[in-house]
Amino acid sequence: MAQKAWFITGTSKGFGRVWAEAALARGDLVAATARNPDTLAELTEKYGKNVAAMKLDVDDKKAVDAAVAEAHKRFGRLDVVINNAGYGQFGTIEEVSEEEAREQIETNVFGALWVTKAALPFMRAQRSGHIIQISSIGGVNAFPSLGLYHASKWALEGFSQALSQEVAEFGIHVTLVEPAGFSTDWGGPSAKFAAPIPAYNEARGRMSHRRETTVSGDPEATGPAMLALVDAAEPPLRVFFGDVGLPMIKQEYANRIAVWEKWDNIALMAQGPKGNR
């Protein structure tokens, strides 16, 4: 299989690091980015010129443009772009401050958008490429105390689905990867927490219990899964990582359809008389 050139954000640890290692271990080229480039030293020591280690804050659009251009200049092409940088903002809707809400959207939505936009001209020119957006089970469902995180992932899902239709004619694929619970530090050091309001303690407790009683997936197992995804001739628009997603979303969509059907008379009422069409 031909050597691929990757651009991955958020490779200091967690999923991003696992995927960078998986790609490099099989001989691919990786532009690995992180806010602190010192965290990438082990990659460069181990894989040498196959790694382009870059300092990058995805909130900085000019820096994103420069990093993507530098990766293309160094490798001559961009085959896989993974928007992995992001974090979870915990807090109910009332608890999350304006600053916290804006920062969540800035990183999780605009950060991915800037990287995507920077990569597209190169992929269009080569008439190939695969943009992989790291969404979440929280991009297709929602739970208490994570409202702004869900808002960011639902936005990512929306623009990426539209994008997939816009770029298909150029040979560019788009995939939304939707992980469920994995044993990363997403809910720990990487997360941000709003100042709590005691009235929501019960809702927070239910969510904590849910997380504590869910069997977490192994992040290392996602390495081979990601390689299989990028090597697929016709990759999917959406794919779950982990065994929780599919049964959960089957129930969620069954519930939605039941409610839509129950209230379809209101939908038809809102349409107006057929004779007016």
Side-chain angles (χ1 to χ4, degrees):
M1 186 168 293
Q3 186 182 54
K4 287 183 169 68
W6 303 51
F7 185 96
I8 309 175
T9 64
T11 56
S12 62
K13 56 187 174 181
F15 284 140
R17 188 55 160 260
V18 170
W19 301 331
E21 289 267 13
L24 289 163
R26 72 172 191 177
D28 284 354
L29 309 170
V30 175
T33 79
R35 289 193 178 197
N36 178 4
D38 293 342
T39 61
L40 306 175
E42 288 184 9
L43 288 180
T44 55
E45 291 170 5
K46 186 174 182 179
Y47 296 103
K49 64 180 181 180
N50 281 14
V51 182
M54 300 180 179
K55 179 180 180 179
L56 181 63
D57 179 348
V58 297
D59 293 357
D60 184 340
K61 185 179 184 301
K62 289 184 178 179
V64 167
D65 291 342
V68 172
E70 177 59 28
H72 182 267
K73 180 180 179 181
R74 176 160 173 173
F75 297 146
R77 59 185 298 108
L78 290 174
D79 300 301
V80 181
V81 170
I82 302 183
N83 278 306
N84 172 65
Y87 67 93
Q89 173 64 61
F90 285 74
T92 65
I93 296 301
E94 186 178 355
E95 290 168 339
V96 173
S97 70
E98 177 183 353
E99 181 181 10
E100 289 168 332
R102 291 183 183 279
E103 288 178 352
Q104 177 77 126
I105 300 301
E106 188 70 39
T107 297
N108 288 13
V109 181
F110 286 112
L113 180 62
W114 303 149
V115 173
T116 298
K117 286 172 64 67
L120 284 172
F122 298 115
M123 290 184 168
R124 280 194 295 104
Q126 68 193 27
R127 300 198 67 86
S128 66
H130 194 174
I131 295 173
I132 299 178
Q133 314 284 37
I134 305 308
S135 181
S136 165
I137 184 64
V140 288
N141 207 346
F143 307 98
S145 76
L146 281 167
L148 262 297
Y149 175 74
H150 291 310
S152 73
K153 293 303 184 182
W154 284 43
L156 178 68
E157 294 259 345
F159 90 65
S160 298
Q161 182 166 340
L163 173 68
S164 70
Q165 299 167 66
E166 295 164 355
V167 300
E169 65 182 287
F170 306 119
I172 302 171
H173 298 288
V174 178
T175 297
L176 287 148
V177 172
E178 297 156 340
F182 279 82
S183 53
T184 65
D185 65 0
W186 175 82
S190 294
K192 296 185 180 181
F193 296 84
I197 296 174
Y200 294 106
N201 286 347
E202 188 173 337
R204 251 190 309 279
R206 289 195 300 270
M207 280 303 298
S208 294
H209 177 73
R210 184 188 188 110
R211 288 193 298 273
E212 290 167 1
T213 56
T214 299
V215 178
S216 299
D218 178 8
E220 292 297 327
T222 68
M226 183 60 77
L227 294 180
L229 182 63
V230 303
D231 291 342
E234 294 295 331
L237 173 60
R238 289 181 171 87
V239 63
F240 291 121
F241 271 18
D243 61 4
V244 174
L246 185 57
M248 179 187 292
I249 210 62
K250 279 184 174 180
Q251 184 60 57
E252 170 65 16
Y253 272 84
N255 293 342
R256 291 189 193 189
I257 290 169
V259 172
W260 282 323
E261 288 179 339
K262 179 179 179 180
W263 291 90
D264 192 48
N265 64 308
I266 299 296
L268 298 177
M269 183 189 304
Q271 177 67 29
K274 291 182 179 180
N276 293 342
R277 296 179 192 175

